[in-house]
Amino acid sequence: MSAPLSMSALSSRVNIASGVRARAASASNRVARFSKPMIVAKATPAESSNVVVLGGTGGTGSECVVQALKRGAKVTVLARDPSKMTTPPGTGGAAEGTPLSDPNLTVVKGNVSDAADVAKVITKDTTGIVVSLGGKTKDVGATMLTDGTTNVINAMKAAGIDKDARIAIVTSIGAGDSANQAPIVFRILMSTVMRSIFNDKNNQEQLFLGPGGPGRDLEF
């Protein structure tokens, strides 16, 4: 016979359940709001996955690369500077900052803003895509996120994987309908010095959530 739950444990379970219900309700409202058709990509075992990471040399992107490799997936990274493909902090441990290499990792030199470069890494064998783009506007341009993500969407459709592969976009709090969730100081920055990058982030989200967005029929 199991021991009775303490009030603390019971409270924790209630809080967790409430949180799950709240998130489920939020997700349901979001789907209803945008009336997005339900697209379900095929479930692919990690060892059979071919994942493409755009922005794979950045902090978040490189962590995605490492996690996918640890699960046995094949990973392709499109990078402007392949030499920046290094082991990320955290999971990298003592190897942090050293060149990342793995038999299942391919790093291709290219620019996400170039449709031809994107088409080289997204093929009929791609099962999943992570878009983790970033950078200073003065270095990457004011529309890099929107332009690059548009190229990714078009490449998926050209390769015929738009109904089979899942795409994940790394964006930011403050973008889209999370604008009011950002701290007040951050919101001030969003409307001043960070206005350009947030215009780009919002336009990037609209590729999937906006009426007639080219990525609206993908699973994301």
Side-chain angles (χ1 to χ4, degrees), residues 166-178:
R166 173 177 292 179
I167 181 170
I169 310 295
V170 179
T171 179
S172 169
I173 187 170
D177 59 5
S178 71

Side-chain angles (χ1 to χ4, degrees), residues 195-210:
R195 178 181 295 179
S196 179
I197 184 62
F198 270 89
N199 283 341
D200 200 14
K201 286 182 180 295
N202 287 330
N203 290 333
Q204 180 189 38
E205 286 199 5
Q206 287 302 299
L207 294 174
F208 300 91
L209 302 177

